[in-house]
Amino acid sequence: MSYIVTGGAGFIGSNMVRKLNEKGIEDVIVIDNYEESKMQNLMGLKFTDYIDYSDGLAQVRASLEGLDGIEGVFHIGANADVLEQNPKVMMVMNYEFSKLYYNYALKHRVPFIYASSSAVYGNETHQTGGLDHLMPHNIYAWSKWLFDKYTEANKNKLQGQKVVGFRFFNVFGWGEFHKGKNANIVYRFYRMMKEQGQIDLFKDEIVRDHVYAGDVAEVLYNAMMYDNFSNGIYNLGGNHPISHRQVAEIVVETMMEAGVLEKNDTSHYIRLIDMPEDLRQKFQFHTFAEGQPKLISELTEGNAEKMKRYVNLLIQNGK
């Protein structure tokens, strides 16, 4: 069995490769670029080939057609920079490449499991899946919305293939070290404590639904291998939103328990700051993976404890 993982050297993609390896699958084709900080995510993982997407659409298409025995495509790769201002850059990466992988899967009649994003909801209060109640408010969100629309519009072309999309909410876990300002807030708060001795927290209340990267990979694996999801688009979150303030307190408390920080009230390590106005217009203040199937929620529960384990893992590895 051979599987393609786009974005396979990235954060969630490398966790997907790790999950496949754990399940005994080592014949994996990774599609990504040659950025060294991402390549480090693949250390210790098993895969059989690596395709550089930065060679462009035509070259990647040719490389795909040269592959044999592909059993399925996990399409995870994307430009996730919500502050990207160039629509052409974003749309080529997240829309044109997505169409390429989708149509490859259709042509070869193999399952296609792909990453959408909760960003398509913007600050819509009903985040229930499907194509209703969507309010994209940055170029990244529009690129994800456009591909969701494309899969829906082309579902009549399916010949029994499985096409399942998952709207990832706020994913945290190992392998996001190269993402900088686009890393999950758990890691960013941890780095703030390491680098400046305090966490800068926006005064505005921000509540997000977080989900652990290993759980995301498990859900995608199940969707590929089993018939527990019908074709469509599903929310994939932790099903228990918590505020940025709570996340900051989890990070601080875990670091104090580990002896990295001096014992004190958590507020001692948190500084409240104003949100820049240009960011406010593009920011999601509340996410909640409503209506996701029970089989997802059962896999993704207990995220406060998983955040603590993740912070401890960062401490133990000197990150």
Side-chain angles (χ1 to χ4, degrees):
M1 295 185 295
S2 183
Y3 292 90
I4 292 170
V5 179
T6 76
F11 168 35
I12 302 173
S14 61
N15 277 279
M16 190 70 244
V17 176
R18 180 173 293 104
K19 181 65 63 176
L20 290 171
N21 288 176
E22 289 172 358
K23 302 292 187 179
I25 299 171
E26 300 179 359
D27 193 352
V28 180
I29 312 297
V30 171
I31 300 179
D32 213 306
N33 62 21
Y34 290 138
E35 184 182 329
E36 183 179 0
S37 59
K38 286 200 299 184
M39 297 280 282
Q40 292 176 10
N41 284 337
L42 293 172
M43 293 295 291
L45 301 184
K46 294 180 172 61
F47 55 97
T48 53
D49 201 358
Y50 196 104
I51 296 172
D52 180 8
Y53 71 75
S54 62
D55 289 336
L57 285 162
Q59 185 58 51
V60 173
R61 182 181 293 109
S63 296
L64 289 174
E65 292 303 334
L67 299 175
D68 293 318
I70 299 299
E71 297 286 333
V73 177
F74 293 96
H75 175 38
I76 300 171
N79 181 341
D81 185 357
V82 297
L83 299 180
E84 173 62 62
Q85 297 298 309
N86 188 326
K88 182 69 172 179
V89 169
M90 186 66 76
M91 289 301 178
V92 169
M93 284 294 303
N94 292 357
Y95 183 59
E96 298 299 337
F97 269 99
S98 295
K99 288 195 298 180
L100 169 63
Y101 302 133
Y102 175 86
N103 287 304
Y104 170 84
L106 261 61
K107 178 180 177 181
H108 294 274
R109 304 188 67 174
V110 298
F112 181 78
I113 309 299
Y114 77 94
S116 181
S117 172
S118 64
V120 299
Y121 295 117
N123 285 307
E124 168 61 48
T125 55
H126 300 289
Q127 301 176 4
T128 54
L131 293 173
D132 297 323
H133 305 295
L134 306 182
M135 193 186 296
H137 59 183
N138 55 49
I139 300 170
Y140 168 72
W142 281 113
S143 71
K144 290 295 189 176
W145 172 85
L146 199 60
F147 186 62
D148 282 349
K149 294 281 286 184
Y150 182 83
T151 61
E152 175 68 16
N154 288 275
K155 64 183 181 181
N156 62 315
K157 296 179 182 179
L158 301 180
Q159 301 180 60
Q161 292 102 323
K162 181 187 296 185
V163 176
V164 183
F166 290 96
R167 289 192 177 134
F168 296 174
F169 279 66
N170 298 90
V171 187
F172 69 94
W174 195 261
E176 56 182 330
F177 315 119
H178 63 284
K179 292 176 68 68
K181 65 182 181 299
N182 291 311
N184 182 275
I185 204 71
V186 179
Y187 180 65
R188 288 166 59 197
F189 283 169
Y190 171 78
R191 290 307 310 172
M192 285 183 195
M193 286 305 313
K194 291 273 287 185
E195 294 167 9
Q196 62 188 37
Q198 65 181 9
I199 291 172
D200 291 334
L201 184 70
F202 290 135
K203 294 176 182 176
D204 308 71
E205 183 178 51
I206 301 163
V207 178
R208 295 282 179 84
D209 196 339
H210 297 266
V211 58
Y212 181 57
D215 296 342
V216 169
E218 183 71 28
V219 171
L220 269 58
Y221 176 84
N222 287 343
M224 174 69 75
M225 302 301 178
Y226 308 118
D227 293 326
N228 47 11
F229 291 99
S230 56
N231 286 0
I233 305 169
Y234 300 87
N235 285 339
L236 205 177
N239 206 39
H240 184 64
I242 62 176
S243 70
H244 275 20
R245 177 80 190 210
Q246 289 172 288
V247 175
E249 290 172 349
I250 288 171
V251 170
V252 170
E253 287 169 359
T254 306
M255 294 178 78
M256 286 193 296
E257 289 169 4
V260 177
L261 294 181
E262 182 180 336
K263 296 279 187 179
N264 211 317
D265 187 270
T266 55
S267 60
H268 175 78
Y269 294 104
I270 297 173
R271 179 177 68 174
L272 298 179
I273 63 172
D274 294 318
M275 178 180 288
E277 284 304 316
D278 60 337
L279 179 60
R280 186 180 298 278
Q281 304 304 315
K282 303 172 183 177
F283 201 84
Q284 280 183 292
F285 289 91
H286 184 273
T287 65
F288 177 30
E290 298 178 67
Q292 67 183 19
K294 183 179 179 182
L295 62 93
I296 292 181
S297 297
E298 288 175 345
L299 284 172
T300 61
E301 62 186 0
N303 279 317
E305 287 303 315
K306 290 171 184 174
M307 285 181 185
K308 291 179 182 178
R309 291 204 299 268
Y310 176 41
V311 173
N312 276 317
L313 190 62
L314 293 171
I315 294 169
Q316 291 161 15
N317 284 273
K319 291 295 185 179

